[in-house]
Amino acid sequence: MKILVTGGLGFIGSHTVVELQNVGFDVVIIDDLSNSSVEVIDGITTITNKKPLFEKLDLKIKSEVKDFFNRHNDIAGVIHFAASKAVGESVNDPLKYYENNINALIYVLQELTKLNKKNFIFSSSCTVYGQADELPITENAHVKPAESPYGNTKQIGEEIIRDTCRANGDVNAIALRYFNPIGAHPTAEIGELPVGVPQNLVPYITQTAIGIREKLSVFGGDYATRDGTCIRDYIHVVDLAKAHVVALQRLIGSKNDSNFEFFNLGTGTGSSVLEAIQSFEKVSGKKLKYQIEDRREGDVISAYAETSKANNILGWKTELTLDDAMASAWKWEQKIRNK
Ligand code: WQD
């Protein structure tokens, strides 16, 4: 069976392509290479010994999307990762985010509705919850006004998919609401490749440890948490990738309870920034240089998943730990810096 993975050369996309190939799916990747590199194909192929099909394509161009689907009308499912995802950038350049994240989704969905098999997995985010009123966060938590245009594109995206499924009973979709994806493939053949100064915590930690960054700024040490730093649910990217395969198989096997479902994907455990640093220091044997500084605008204090719906209904749970993720992230950083 052929599966389309848009954004398949990106961080989560590339790890998902590996897991799809590991269970026998054929994969075709669309990526515009705006935030990824074509060498990632070599990393995937080294791991699975199967080279995925790849087409460089801009999903914002409707005619290109139409042409692609005319040439690949045997697709059994689509996993849609392609999107811009930097929260800070989205605040400064909202129209780039609405154009890229919404138009591309619309054009892919329009072509999906013409396929024989209309199975769709959407890359969503716990960002849709904002600062949840209750922790851990369940799927019934109130979706609050987005804190950034990026988060708003995920909320709007889910609504577009919900309406499409309501209007097309034969379109089956699952939105996966990720918590904080971290780590890299244990082979260190693929991993996170942030462009420029990393916005996210873990690549900043590993770049500090390897000497690219002078020190890590811990954004805020006076929050009402156990150690004053923000709490997040850090999920190993390989566990996250496997959840996409389980969700796709759920739709292909018509095991879904309705034609639009959504699941939180997390470990169910919250870790503070200082605890994440301690985990890294333990697995790397490196002392990390960091300094507690001012809070970062827009940060929620604490977010971690209530995982029973994904565990009991989707039939998936995380197997890897924060230490596993930190160790894989460090191994990857050393590999790409040839150290
Ligand atoms: C985690 C914690 C920071 C960097 C974002 C998006 C989310 C998803 C994942 C796309 C926070 C602290 C960070 C640093 C720090 N992206 N931190 N120093 O903000 O929880 O989630 O990335 O889907 O949608 O919102 O992740 O890694 O940026 O921050 O202290 O140099 O680490 O304050 O508490 P975040 P993050």
Side-chain angles (χ1 to χ4, degrees), residues 176-179 235 240 243-244 263-267 305 310 314 316:
L176 297 175
R177 295 173 177 173
Y178 312 155
F179 279 68
I235 174 172
L240 187 62
H244 290 76
F263 297 92
N264 287 346
L265 297 183
T267 67
L314 184 56
W316 163 91

Side-chain angles (χ1 to χ4, degrees), residues 134-170:
E134 275 180 59
L135 294 167
I137 303 174
T138 72
E139 286 83 354
N140 307 319
H142 183 56
V143 173
K144 293 191 170 176
E147 316 241 339
S148 68
Y150 161 75
N152 205 22
T153 65
K154 290 302 179 184
Q155 288 181 3
I156 296 167
E158 287 195 11
E159 286 163 21
I160 289 170
I161 296 161
R162 186 191 308 273
D163 289 345
T164 302
C165 292
R166 198 173 286 148
N168 301 272
D170 56 353

Side-chain angles (χ1 to χ4, degrees), residues 42-285:
D42 301 333
I44 293 169
T45 309
T46 302
I47 296 169
T48 64
N49 226 1
K50 277 186 273 185
K51 186 169 187 174
L53 294 176
F54 166 64
E55 294 197 24
K56 182 177 182 300
L57 195 149
D58 183 348
L59 292 172
K60 298 194 295 297
I61 302 172
K62 187 170 181 166
S63 58
E64 284 196 22
V65 179
K66 225 176 173 63
D67 168 60
F68 173 87
F69 276 84
N70 286 340
R71 290 184 285 105
H72 293 275
N73 56 17
D74 55 343
I75 284 168
V78 177
I79 305 183
H80 184 59
F81 291 102
S84 301
K85 60 155 198 164
V87 172
E89 184 192 36
S90 78
V91 174
N92 301 325
D93 190 356
L95 291 178
K96 170 185 174 183
Y97 275 68
Y98 289 114
E99 184 188 32
N100 193 33
N101 295 7
I102 303 298
N103 291 4
L105 170 65
I106 291 170
Y107 299 153
V108 170
L109 285 172
Q110 283 173 330
E111 296 310 312
L112 176 89
T113 57
K114 301 171 194 163
L115 291 175
N116 245 342
K117 297 193 174 71
K118 306 170 175 63
N119 298 309
F120 191 74
I121 306 292
F122 180 61
S123 167
S124 190
S125 168
C126 64
T127 306
V128 302
Y129 298 115
Q131 177 55 69
D133 300 327
E134 275 180 59
L135 294 167
I137 303 174
T138 72
E139 286 83 354
N140 307 319
H142 183 56
V143 173
K144 293 191 170 176
E147 316 241 339
S148 68
Y150 161 75
N152 205 22
T153 65
K154 290 302 179 184
Q155 288 181 3
I156 296 167
E158 287 195 11
E159 286 163 21
I160 289 170
I161 296 161
R162 186 191 308 273
D163 289 345
T164 302
C165 292
R166 198 173 286 148
N168 301 272
D170 56 353
V171 172
N172 293 290
I174 293 177
L176 297 175
R177 295 173 177 173
Y178 312 155
F179 279 68
N180 284 60
I182 63 167
H185 196 269
T187 61
E189 293 297 336
I190 53 175
E192 197 167 3
L193 282 169
V195 176
V197 179
Q199 298 306 304
N200 294 129
L201 178 66
V202 173
Y204 208 105
I205 287 177
T206 57
Q207 287 193 13
T208 301
I210 206 137
I212 293 172
R213 309 290 162 202
E214 202 257 324
K215 66 169 169 51
L216 169 76
S217 300
V218 174
F219 297 140
D222 58 353
Y223 286 101
T225 63
R226 51 184 175 264
D227 63 16
T229 63
C230 292
I231 290 177
R232 295 289 185 275
D233 186 333
Y234 295 101
I235 174 172
H236 196 301
V237 65
V238 170
D239 276 332
L240 187 62
K242 288 177 177 174
H244 290 76
V245 180
V246 172
L248 180 70
Q249 288 168 327
R250 178 179 175 85
L251 296 185
I252 289 173
S254 304
K255 295 190 169 54
N256 45 322
D257 298 327
S258 74
N259 74 331
F260 178 64
E261 297 178 307
F262 45 93
F263 297 92
N264 287 346
L265 297 183
T267 67
T269 301
S271 302
S272 74
V273 176
L274 292 180
E275 287 161 355
I277 292 170
Q278 282 143 22
S279 166
F280 175 80
E281 290 182 329
K282 180 171 66 168
V283 301
S284 67

